[in-house]
Amino acid sequence: MKKEQFGVTKDGKEATLYTLENKNGMKAQITDYGAILVRLFVPDKNGKAEDVTLGYDRLEDYFANGSFFGATIAPNANRIADAKFTIDGVTYQVDVNDGPNNLHSHLDLATHKRMWKAQPGENTITFTIDLADGDMGFPGNKTFSITYTLTDDNELRLDYEASTDKKTILNPTNHAYFNLAGHNGGSIEDHTLWIKASHYTPVVPGAIPTGELAPVAGTPMDFTKEKRIGDEIEADFEQLKLVKGYDHNWAVDDCDGSLQLIAELHEKNSGRTMKVFTTLPGVQFYAGNCIAETVGKEGAVYTVRTGLCLETDFFPNAVNEPSFKSPVFGPDEMYRSTTVYQFVF
C-alpha cells in the first residue's frame, strides 16, 4: 500500500491517491475523492503494463467528470423515471438531471464528488461515506462502503456494503470505462464481448426500461456467443438508435446471489482478457456512445466509444417497476454485493 497527495478539493480538503500492487505487475490507484478508480495498470501478452481505464491525471478534472470516469455511484446508479419513486405510500422527488428523469442520483452532489473516509489494509483499501436522511431527496440515514482489493490472481475485487435506518434505495456501482488496448487505445469497437444473458431490458426514449425482459436471440443485443462489439452497433435496430449504440441492462442468467462469471471482454492485439464476476442481477453495458471529447490522462483525447462500461447493478428504474428485483432495503437488511474484474494476459 502506497499513498500520495492527489490535490485539494473545492472546499480545501486534501485528497489522497492510494496504490495497490500485486506480484504480477498489476497496479490499481484509487482516490478518496469519490472513491474513484483513477488508474488500473495491466500487463499485456508481452509483459508491458498499461493503464486500461479512462480518467484524469489531476484531481481538478474530476470536479466536472461529466462521463463519470472511474466513479463510485451512490445511493442509486442508473436511471429513475420522472425522477421520483414511492416507498410505503410516500413519494420522493430526486434531482431532474437527464431529460425528465434522474441519472446516477445527482450530477454534482452524489458520492462521486464527495470525500470518503479511507481505511487502508495490506492489499485493500476501504472507503466509507455517510449520507443523511433526505440527502439528494433519498430517504434514510445511510452508510455506504466499498472495499477495493487487488489479488495475486489478477482480480480487482469490489465489495460493497450499505445500511439504512429507513426504507430506501441502495444500489451503488462503479462506473469505470475500460479499454484493454490502453486508456489511449482508441475505439473499443474491435474488442470482443460475451455476456451471460439471454434477456435484456428494452427502453423507451430517455433510456427508461419498459419493464419487459426481452430475448436477445435474433437481435444485435445477443452476446451469448462472443462477438466483436462493432459488428452490429450501427445496425438498423430501434433499441440501438434510441441510445446511439449499446447502453442497456442485461439480465444475468440464473442469478441466485452467488458470485458468478457474467461477462468476458477481449482485445486481440494486447492479448488482454477481462472477466467480470458479480452477485448482482444486472449489468449495464455502455459502449461509450456519448463520451464528450475531453483530454484525459497523459494528454489522451477521449471521445465517442473510446471506453466501455460494464456496470453491475439492479435494473434501471427497478424501484418503480414491480416486475424487477427491488433495490429497496430497510433497517433490518444490509445491502451487500461483490463485483470482480479479473484479468488474463
Side-chain angles (χ1 to χ4, degrees):
M1 167 64 63
K2 299 177 183 177
K3 65 179 186 177
E4 59 192 281
Q5 189 174 354
F6 192 55
V8 179
T9 67
K10 289 181 179 180
D11 56 357
K13 297 178 181 176
E14 288 192 3
T16 300
L17 188 68
Y18 297 86
T19 301
L20 304 172
E21 296 186 61
N22 75 2
K23 67 180 183 181
N24 304 314
M26 280 190 63
K27 182 166 64 174
Q29 294 185 310
I30 312 107
T31 178
D32 49 7
Y33 179 80
I36 290 170
L37 177 63
V38 176
R39 301 183 185 94
L40 182 62
F41 291 92
V42 180
D44 64 8
K45 60 188 178 183
N46 298 314
K48 180 184 178 183
E50 291 178 289
D51 183 3
V52 298
T53 60
L54 276 58
Y56 301 106
D57 287 320
R58 303 187 316 143
L59 178 70
E60 295 91 326
D61 292 322
Y62 286 104
F63 296 163
N65 197 14
S67 293
F68 300 89
F69 293 141
T72 296
I73 307 293
N76 182 66
N78 224 306
R79 292 175 172 86
I80 298 174
D82 298 322
K84 61 185 178 181
F85 57 92
T86 301
I87 297 175
D88 290 345
V90 179
T91 298
Y92 299 92
Q93 179 71 52
V94 292
D95 194 46
V96 179
N97 61 17
D98 188 48
N101 306 314
N102 174 268
L103 174 64
H104 296 327
S105 301
H106 202 289
L107 301 186
D108 295 313
L109 301 179
T111 56
H112 67 299
K113 293 188 179 179
R114 300 195 191 190
M115 290 295 293
W116 294 56
K117 296 177 183 177
Q119 183 177 354
E122 184 175 346
N123 66 332
T124 68
I125 179 77
T126 298
F127 299 98
T128 304
I129 195 168
D130 296 322
L131 300 178
D133 186 17
D135 194 333
M136 295 177 280
F138 293 86
N141 294 296
K142 302 165 290 294
T143 298
F144 286 87
S145 72
I146 176 173
T147 299
Y148 288 89
T149 304
L150 183 61
T151 75
D152 284 336
D153 291 324
N154 302 320
E155 298 170 332
L156 182 66
R157 180 183 174 109
L158 284 60
D159 289 293
Y160 298 86
E161 286 192 354
S163 61
T164 178
D165 64 359
K166 185 188 295 185
K167 280 189 177 180
T168 193
I169 302 173
L170 301 177
N171 183 31
T173 198
N174 183 273
H175 209 294
Y177 286 74
F178 296 98
N179 186 324
L180 298 186
H183 76 95
N184 56 355
S187 174
I188 50 80
E189 292 187 18
D190 280 338
H191 286 52
T192 57
L193 178 65
W194 165 83
I195 304 176
K196 185 191 175 189
S198 55
H199 293 78
Y200 76 104
T201 59
V203 297
V204 297
I208 299 296
T210 63
E212 173 191 9
L213 291 182
V216 301
T219 78
M221 315 304 280
D222 191 350
F223 286 90
T224 55
K225 292 183 180 179
E226 181 184 26
K227 72 177 179 184
R228 180 179 170 272
I229 289 170
D231 281 352
E232 296 181 286
I233 200 168
E234 299 288 351
D236 185 13
F237 186 67
E238 184 63 19
Q239 284 296 306
L240 295 177
K241 292 179 179 179
L242 282 172
V243 288
K244 302 180 180 180
Y246 296 112
D247 188 10
H248 298 76
N249 218 269
W250 272 254
V252 174
D253 288 344
D254 306 316
C255 177
D256 59 4
S258 63
L259 186 64
Q260 61 171 306
L261 177 66
I262 61 106
E264 288 194 21
L265 181 70
H266 179 69
E267 202 281 314
K268 61 181 180 181
N269 292 325
S270 67
R272 296 184 183 97
T273 294
M274 182 176 78
K275 298 183 177 184
V276 184
F277 300 76
T278 193
T279 58
L280 289 161
V283 58
Q284 185 86 9
F285 166 38
Y286 173 47
N289 314 307
C290 298
I291 298 174
E293 185 171 311
T294 185
V295 177
K297 291 176 284 190
E298 302 174 312
V301 177
Y302 306 144
T303 187
V304 172
R305 297 182 190 154
T306 55
L308 65 88
C309 303
L310 291 166
E311 307 158 58
T312 55
D313 57 5
F314 289 98
F315 302 155
N317 199 39
V319 67
N320 291 318
E321 184 50 67
S323 64
F324 290 169
K325 185 174 175 60
S326 176
V328 174
F329 292 76
D332 57 346
E333 186 179 9
M334 284 282 294
Y335 171 94
R336 291 184 176 90
S337 73
T338 298
T339 295
V340 174
Y341 300 102
Q342 183 181 38
F343 293 85
V344 180
F345 44 83

